[in-house]
């Protein structure tokens, strides 16, 4: 639960033996995958064969990356075979759910704080990481385009980013962060 990626551990029969908080949370509202008891299933019948093939491949030691779901609501899933923990011959499989957003809110806020960004600059950075262009950020925040451009200039100066693209790249490669508030609950 300390890792902010959806992780599922399946036994050699394909039954889920562990799903971390991120996986359970993502699967509750997911349109591509679901947990049915201890079974990981696709919601769409057409995706079932893809997942079954990937899980079967993992039992043979093969790694797979599959994309499931309908356009606009697709999820990429890495299926990774794990070495048996003992000589009993049982092999576990790790299923890693793809990220649903490029930059998590907490990571953006930590990055902003570590670089001394103001609250307004932090909001602009978060909007840029959500894929908005400067004009859309200005409209979304109800300020002028010149104000947003000035804020972007300040953000770039504080972070050393040569461009908006470089700034978003810096944030997108941050390690995933789990909120201590969620863990406390």
């Amino acid at each position: 639960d300390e890792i902010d990626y959806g992780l599922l551990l399946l036994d050699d029969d394909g039954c889920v033996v562990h799903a971390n908080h991120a996986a359970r949370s993502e699967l509750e509202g997911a349109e591509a995958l679901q947990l049915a008891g201890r079974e990981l299933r696709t919601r769409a019948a057409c995706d079932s064969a893809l997942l079954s093939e990937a899980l079967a491949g993992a039992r043979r030691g093969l790694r797979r990356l599959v994309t499931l779901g309908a356009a606009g609501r697709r999820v990429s899933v890495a299926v990774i075979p794990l070495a048996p923990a003992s000589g009993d011959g049982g092999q576990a499989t790790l299923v890693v759910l793809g990220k649903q957003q490029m930059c998590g809110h907490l990571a953006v806020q930590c990055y902003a704080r570590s670089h001394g960004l103001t609250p307004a600059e932090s909001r602009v950075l978060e909007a840029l990481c959500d894929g908005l262009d400067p004009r859309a950020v200005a409209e979304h925040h109800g300020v002028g385009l010149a104000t947003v451009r000035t804020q972007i200039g300040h953000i770039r100066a504080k972070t050393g980013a040569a461009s908006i693209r470089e700034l978003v790249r810096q944030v997108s490669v941050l390690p995933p962060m789990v909120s201590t508030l969620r863990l406390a609950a």
Side-chain angles (χ1 to χ4, degrees), residues 94-177:
L94 178 66
V95 176
V96 182
L97 305 178
K99 292 170 66 171
Q100 296 301 305
Q101 62 185 113
M102 185 171 60
C103 307
H105 174 75
L106 184 60
V108 174
Q109 293 306 312
C110 288
Y111 181 85
R113 191 174 356 181
S114 71
H115 286 87
L117 302 187
T118 67
E121 291 166 349
S122 297
R123 286 189 299 274
V124 168
L125 176 60
E126 193 161 351
L128 292 172
C129 288
D130 282 342
L132 298 179
D133 64 18
R135 186 174 311 283
V137 173
E139 290 173 10
H140 186 259
H141 292 156
V143 297
L145 180 58
T147 301
V148 171
R149 289 191 191 279
T150 300
Q151 291 168 326
I152 291 171
H154 290 161
I155 295 167
R156 288 181 47 222
K158 291 177 181 180
T159 62
S163 65
I164 293 172
R165 179 176 291 182
E166 172 62 19
L167 177 64
V168 172
R169 190 202 67 74
Q170 285 179 17
V171 177
S172 70
V173 297
L174 292 174
M177 311 260 317

Side-chain angles (χ1 to χ4, degrees), residues 23 46 55 63 93 161:
C46 59
L55 293 174
R63 295 170 178 254
T93 300

